[in-house]
Amino acid sequence: MSANAARRLSRMFHRISVAISAEKDHLSDLDGAIGDADHGITMSLGFQAVNGELAKRDLDEMLPSEVFSLAASAFLDAVGASTGPLYATAFRKAAQALKRDETLSIAAQAAIVEAMTSGIRDRGKGQRGDKTMLDAWIPATEAAAAARDRQATVSDMWNGILEAADAGARSTRSMVATRGRAARLGERSLGHIDPGAASAVVIIKAMKETFTENEPAE
């Protein structure tokens, strides 16, 4: 079971990398409006590094928690500044959560989303409404918890997670940034979607595709 689970997470990180690379220019354009115009490049480098490290490992000998631990180290090594520590902490928290359930059950999948959000929030000291990636991740976590509590199917849970994250990301257009480089712009950050929230949606969509493959259609 753990070997299958580790391979599933490897596929997930591959999907994320491909999706981020496809959106790289768009994400950097979003960042250009309120930041340094490098968010897409940075995220792409980070996930490429994760996949490069996973390709060197025997996934049949790895636990899912170990996949996330490796992803944390690889991402941080490739992306040392800003986003790097945020996602590295997110992946480390996910690894800790999975040590309690290495099966990638629906409860474990919800725990991954919750742990990643917790890691980003703890590391960045941010909250909802700051116009950051948390404006996508926090609603995603709330949707995951609600789905788990009502014993939803995997597909139903991930549909809700993605819808909540996407709505949260779009809501950043009407926010004034209070954290990160965008905070320097003040009111001028209005009218722009936060690039970190946008990339979070790309990541969550790839996670959804991985965890719902081979699941019955709703």
Side-chain angles (χ1 to χ4, degrees):
M1 175 65 76
S2 62
N4 268 345
R7 289 191 176 279
R8 199 174 190 188
L9 290 182
S10 180
R11 290 198 303 276
M12 180 192 80
F13 279 112
H14 176 73
R15 269 199 176 99
I16 293 171
S17 183
V18 169
I20 288 287
S21 292
E23 294 293 323
K24 180 173 64 176
D25 291 344
H26 173 61
L27 293 171
S28 290
D29 286 346
L30 290 175
D31 195 30
I34 59 176
D36 291 344
D38 63 353
H39 184 68
I41 296 166
T42 297
M43 294 294 285
S44 182
L45 287 172
F47 284 107
Q48 285 174 13
V50 172
N51 282 298
E53 286 302 313
L54 284 172
K56 301 174 187 175
R57 306 302 175 97
D58 182 356
L59 293 167
D60 292 329
E61 298 297 321
M62 291 184 74
L63 293 169
S65 58
E66 293 170 335
V67 174
F68 268 105
S69 292
L70 181 149
S73 298
F75 199 96
L76 187 60
D77 286 346
V79 185
S82 60
T83 308
L86 294 172
Y87 273 106
T89 306
F91 297 151
R92 287 196 191 100
K93 286 273 192 179
Q96 292 167 9
L98 282 175
K99 286 177 182 176
R100 297 189 291 271
D101 181 359
E102 299 274 6
T103 64
L104 295 188
S105 64
I106 187 167
Q109 293 171 34
I112 288 170
V113 178
E114 291 172 320
M116 287 181 64
T117 302
S118 174
I120 293 166
R121 183 160 39 193
D122 290 351
R123 182 73 191 208
K125 309 299 181 189
Q127 59 188 348
R128 197 176 199 160
D130 285 343
K131 196 181 179 95
T132 70
M133 63 179 72
L134 283 171
D135 288 301
W137 279 109
I138 290 174
T141 288
E142 292 171 350
R148 182 186 54 212
D149 290 347
R150 69 173 184 271
Q151 298 184 316
T153 64
V154 171
S155 294
D156 182 45
M157 180 178 78
W158 280 101
N159 285 339
I161 289 170
L162 180 59
E163 287 171 10
D166 185 55
R170 285 187 279 107
S171 76
T172 63
R173 191 187 296 275
S174 61
M175 295 176 187
V176 174
T178 60
R179 289 194 172 270
R181 295 186 182 96
R184 296 174 300 189
L185 297 177
E187 295 288 334
R188 286 181 293 155
S189 64
L190 272 171
H192 302 284
I193 289 177
D194 178 72
S199 64
V201 174
V202 176
I203 291 167
I204 289 166
K205 185 171 187 287
M207 292 172 73
K208 171 187 178 291
E209 289 169 354
T210 302
F211 288 120
T212 59
E213 63 185 347
N214 303 321
E215 290 290 326
E218 288 297 305

